Amino acid sequence: MEKKFDKLPIHIGFIMDGNGRWATKRGLPRKMGHRRGAEALENIVNYCFSLGIKCVSCFAFSTENWKRPQEEIDYIFGLLREYIKKQREKSEKEQKEEIKARNIKIRTMGDLSKMPEDLEKEINQAKDDTDDCDAYILNIAMNYGGRDDIVYACNKLIKEGKKEITEEDISGALYSAGLPDLDFVIRTAGDIRLSNFMLYQSAYSELYFTKTFWPDFSPKHLDKALKEYAKRDRKFGQLK
Ligand code: IPE
Ligand code: IPE
Ligand code: MG
């Protein structure tokens, strides 16, 4: 089979923005945008893994999103619970059928103790059940902030008694410990900012911004972004 892309990211990150605007534009309540956004997430994550991208991180709920109306927050958490359950069941089925190559490990980033109990429980079960999976990694950021991540890592290192720390120490203490840095970050919906997403891990990421709202973001849009990624000249400070 002909290779679709010359070069693929190992670790891709999605800042899934524009659910609300997608809905408002259609005269629908914002929560309909979140529902369609969850469907887009499922579709895109499956597509990434089918292409052979090893690790997908997605920004589902930020430490700043608590400033939204409680009703919207509750709705987003409900969708997340549904999605994680579905992923866990899919992963279990694949483990049973020994489709080892499709094993997806579920991880999260962010302080889960602030999440509703049933969501926290579902997440912990999903993590336990997929702990042995290693073909692909789905890393969901919720109640996550890049600054909070760095503070969390530093406090962890202080508790371990470290007096002096290296960049590697911090990388290894972040919520994303063990994952490679982000190669490629995609933000939908037209805003050109990171909004506190994986600040430490994106130091040398290629960035891609599209006006497409997240619920409309499809494999076709991802193909376009990945074609651009393949053309980028990553230099990491060196002369090339
Ligand atoms: C992204 O869509 C989802 C979350 C932040 C949880 P938004 O809800 O931010 O949609 P817009 O930006 O208001 O359109
Ligand atoms: C970023 O989107 C957070 C998530 C996608 C979860 P926001 O909609 O919260 O970001 P701002 O407020 O436009 O910067
Ligand atoms: Mg937004």
Side-chain angles (χ1 to χ4, degrees):
M1 199 175 77
E2 201 193 322
K3 242 171 69 188
K4 202 164 179 183
F5 305 98
D6 293 336
K7 166 174 101 182
L8 274 176
I10 294 169
H11 187 178
I12 191 167
F14 292 101
I15 302 175
M16 311 183 286
D17 196 20
N19 291 349
R21 278 165 283 171
W22 179 92
T24 306
K25 210 178 91 180
R26 287 165 176 74
L28 298 168
R30 286 179 60 85
K31 62 181 182 187
M32 283 312 295
H34 293 308
R35 172 152 294 282
R36 288 294 293 267
E39 286 165 21
L41 174 64
E42 191 177 347
N43 200 11
I44 288 293
V45 167
N46 290 341
Y47 184 60
C48 284
F49 293 147
S50 76
L51 288 176
I53 296 173
K54 168 109 188 155
C55 180
V56 178
S57 290
C58 50
F59 204 4
F61 191 84
S62 78
T63 44
E64 289 71 32
N65 289 147
W66 293 104
K67 293 171 196 156
R68 296 187 179 201
Q70 192 60 43
E71 198 192 325
E72 179 167 341
I73 295 174
D74 290 342
Y75 193 79
I76 293 170
F77 288 167
L79 287 173
L80 273 169
R81 195 176 56 240
E82 243 178 68
Y83 175 62
I84 291 166
K85 182 165 182 267
K86 218 166 158 185
Q87 276 297 329
R88 172 175 58 78
E89 287 168 352
K90 190 167 158 236
S91 204
E92 268 167 10
K93 188 166 169 271
E94 281 161 357
Q95 285 179 72
K96 260 199 214 104
E97 291 167 7
E98 293 195 358
I99 315 172
K100 288 273 184 259
R102 292 279 302 149
N103 273 352
I104 297 164
K105 188 204 266 306
I106 297 169
R107 292 183 53 150
T108 62
M109 299 192 296
D111 180 3
L112 297 179
S113 69
K114 306 278 185 308
M115 305 309 254
E117 218 173 290
D118 55 348
L119 175 56
E120 195 190 350
K121 224 171 118 193
E122 181 54 54
I123 295 164
N124 288 332
Q125 194 182 341
K127 283 184 181 167
D128 282 352
D129 290 0
T130 63
D131 200 37
D132 291 338
C133 304
D134 57 4
Y136 297 100
I137 295 159
L138 171 60
N139 182 34
I140 309 170
M142 50 187 132
N143 189 20
Y144 176 83
R147 287 185 171 183
D148 183 59
D149 197 359
I150 296 167
V151 170
Y152 164 83
C154 292
N155 279 324
K156 210 165 148 191
L157 294 168
I158 290 168
K159 276 195 204 114
E160 284 167 15
K162 285 249 165 36
K163 296 271 185 294
E164 232 182 84
I165 54 174
T166 63
E167 290 190 6
E168 288 71 31
D169 287 332
I170 295 185
S171 294
L174 292 167
Y175 283 117
S176 57
L179 302 181
D181 279 348
L182 280 167
D183 297 299
F184 195 30
V185 177
I186 295 179
R187 181 177 185 136
T188 56
D191 287 308
I192 318 288
R193 54 177 174 255
L194 290 175
S195 299
N196 208 6
F197 182 62
M198 299 184 82
L199 302 178
Y200 199 86
Q201 302 88 333
S202 64
Y204 260 106
S205 303
E206 294 301 323
L207 307 177
Y208 182 90
F209 299 94
T210 169
K211 288 203 168 71
T212 305
F213 293 137
W214 177 254
D216 286 331
F217 194 77
S218 67
K220 183 184 85 189
H221 295 97
L222 183 57
D223 279 351
K224 190 170 169 225
L226 289 171
K227 280 204 180 99
E228 166 144 353
Y229 174 81
K231 280 194 254 158
R232 300 264 182 106
D233 183 16
R234 303 188 74 191
K235 300 205 292 193
F236 299 97
Q238 304 163 56
L239 298 180
K240 272 200 181 171

